[in-house]
Amino acid sequence: MKFAKARYSLIAIIMLLVAFLVLFVTGLAKGLAYDNAASIQNMNATHFMMEKGSNHRFTRSQLGEGDLAQAGSIVGEKNAQPVGVKMTTVTTGGAAHKLDVTLLAVRPEGWLMPSVTEGTAITSQTEGKVLVDDQLKDSGIGIGTEIFDQASGMKWIVSGFVSHESFSHSPAVFLNERDWQQLQSKSSAWKGASGTASGISYSAIAVKANKDQAKQLAAALPDTEVVTKSEAVSAIPGYKEEQGSLLMMIVFLFVISAFVLAVFFYVITIQKSSQFGILKAIGTRTAYLVRSVALQVLLLSSGSLVVSVLLVQGMKAVLPSGMPFQLDVTTLASTCGAFIAMSLVGSLFSVWQVTRIDALDAIGRTAA
């Protein structure tokens, strides 16, 4: 590497660009995944109960108060909380532009309600007040702003803001059960839930349950399905398709980086076959030469990753706030580890070539 700086610098630049692209796409995939299901992922629930046949989708499910009472009798009343989910369009104070949001109905005093970052929290007795995700600040919404639901004609006053709460890439609006019940009675899109034509209905019931309790819930409520949080997240429209496409891109980038490194070192190894042969002839062990090639690959990939991480962190700092991007320490470490592993796998062709070099044959070619 000391005597072929130009060639190794070229491959280092290529590795740097590929590593940067891998890390950036990984951060984008994680950010999009979180933005698509942040509100559900933030909920401190192990399982969700939904209507049977809803395909694990909140927007297709309706459960009644009877279902909630039965779930509470199995896992405990405090461990079963109702959740209402409805995607809608709202306007603000006569403004011409419309905003797509997701209405989330939870019990304000329960463990599903997120922490208020600004403003005043709502209670079960509050009427006509909501908490909204701080993404809506960019649309001119502030504390005290009136928002109007286009479907039902209801209006609410923004009481405060929450952070990192979204569903299907739309900012979340949290309301209590009282406003949720009024919304159901006014919106033609909602009908009475199974067996509760005049009562309040929910989209799902969030529960804290172990495996045995989950089985008991499924047996006691045959018209419902009990799904894990990860299954509920995966069923959000577009989630699996979006993540599948990005994952395929990341896998191809790993394969490309391994292939590029393999070809480069294979060519270099062939060019240096005579030198390797002479080293073998004077007693250098094959294991030492193999470690030398592996060390060069490790140095190149590690150096490229260090610079790439710095570039990604710099890029993250200048990205617009509305662009979903997440790259936590765990994801960063696992991605870097996978990149180094793929680089070492790519060097196996060179290692194989080194082990096959015959000292006498190499010396003969040198003499010729």
Side-chain angles (χ1 to χ4, degrees), residues 165-181:
E165 296 291 341
S166 57
F167 181 92
S168 193
H169 295 303
S170 62
V173 175
F174 287 86
L175 59 157
N176 59 21
E177 289 179 283
R178 175 176 292 189
D179 286 329
W180 178 255
Q181 191 168 17

Side-chain angles (χ1 to χ4, degrees), residues 33 36-38 40-41 48 50 56 58 227-237 239-240:
N36 202 353
I40 306 303
Q41 290 181 345
F48 289 93
M50 299 185 190
H56 303 176
F58 290 93
V227 300
T228 62
K229 183 193 288 189
S230 59
E231 289 173 334
V233 168
S234 297
I236 293 176
Y239 183 90
K240 287 197 296 187

Side-chain angles (χ1 to χ4, degrees), residues 63-365:
L63 299 178
E65 292 177 295
D67 299 318
L68 177 62
Q70 282 186 272
S73 66
I74 295 174
V75 300
E77 290 186 9
K78 292 183 178 180
N79 293 327
Q81 296 280 306
V83 183
V85 181
K86 182 184 179 184
M87 302 184 72
T88 188
T89 302
V90 298
T91 58
T92 57
H97 67 284
K98 300 178 180 180
L99 303 170
D100 292 326
V101 300
T102 298
L103 302 177
L104 292 173
V106 298
R107 289 178 176 172
E109 293 81 15
W111 42 266
L112 293 180
M113 177 61 75
S115 301
V116 178
T117 57
E118 183 181 346
T120 307
I122 60 175
T123 67
S124 296
Q125 305 305 317
T126 306
E127 190 170 344
K129 291 188 177 181
V130 294
L131 301 175
V132 303
D133 184 71
D134 53 15
Q135 292 181 49
L136 292 174
K137 289 181 179 179
D138 297 334
S139 301
I141 292 180
I143 295 175
T145 301
E146 279 191 333
I147 58 176
F148 301 85
D149 179 31
Q150 183 174 281
S152 65
M154 288 187 66
K155 66 179 180 179
W156 304 285
I157 296 175
V158 176
S159 176
F161 288 98
V162 293
S163 183
H164 303 298
E165 296 291 341
S166 57
F167 181 92
S168 193
H169 295 303
S170 62
V173 175
F174 287 86
L175 59 157
N176 59 21
E177 289 179 283
R178 175 176 292 189
D179 286 329
W180 178 255
Q181 191 168 17
Q182 291 182 12
L183 177 68
Q184 288 179 305
S185 63
K186 291 187 178 182
S187 176
S188 60
W190 283 92
K191 300 178 182 179
S194 56
T196 56
S198 59
I200 186 171
S201 61
Y202 310 104
S203 301
I205 298 171
V207 297
K208 294 179 180 178
N210 54 39
K211 291 183 179 180
D212 291 335
Q213 289 175 326
K215 291 179 180 178
Q216 291 178 37
L217 287 171
L221 297 163
D223 292 330
T224 67
E225 51 188 14
V226 182
V227 300
T228 62
K229 183 193 288 189
S230 59
E231 289 173 334
V233 168
S234 297
I236 293 176
Y239 183 90
K240 287 197 296 187
E241 293 79 6
E242 182 180 83
Q243 290 303 299
S245 300
L246 291 169
L247 179 61
M248 185 175 292
M249 291 174 60
I250 294 170
V251 170
F252 272 111
L253 286 172
F254 275 120
V255 173
I256 289 170
S257 64
F259 182 76
V260 169
L261 199 63
V263 170
F264 174 79
F265 273 95
Y266 186 72
V267 172
I268 291 293
T269 302
I270 292 176
Q271 292 176 343
K272 296 193 297 182
S273 294
S274 299
Q275 290 92 325
F276 282 126
I278 293 173
L279 288 172
K280 281 188 173 184
I282 62 176
T284 304
R285 294 183 178 180
T286 302
Y288 175 84
L289 298 177
V290 168
R291 287 198 302 270
S292 176
V293 172
L295 181 61
Q296 292 178 43
V297 173
L298 188 61
L299 287 173
L300 276 177
S301 56
S302 300
S304 301
L305 276 173
V306 170
V307 180
S308 299
V309 169
L310 295 176
L311 288 176
V312 168
Q313 294 300 325
M315 179 69 74
K316 181 180 177 180
V318 300
L319 286 175
S321 58
M323 187 172 185
F325 186 88
Q326 262 197 351
L327 199 61
D328 54 36
V329 176
T330 303
T331 304
L332 187 62
S334 59
T335 304
C336 291
F339 188 84
I340 291 175
M342 288 298 293
S343 300
L344 291 174
V345 169
S347 68
L348 291 178
F349 286 107
S350 302
V351 170
W352 176 70
Q353 182 66 23
V354 169
T355 59
R356 291 180 66 250
I357 292 175
D358 181 78
L360 294 177
D361 184 52
I363 292 173
R365 288 199 304 270

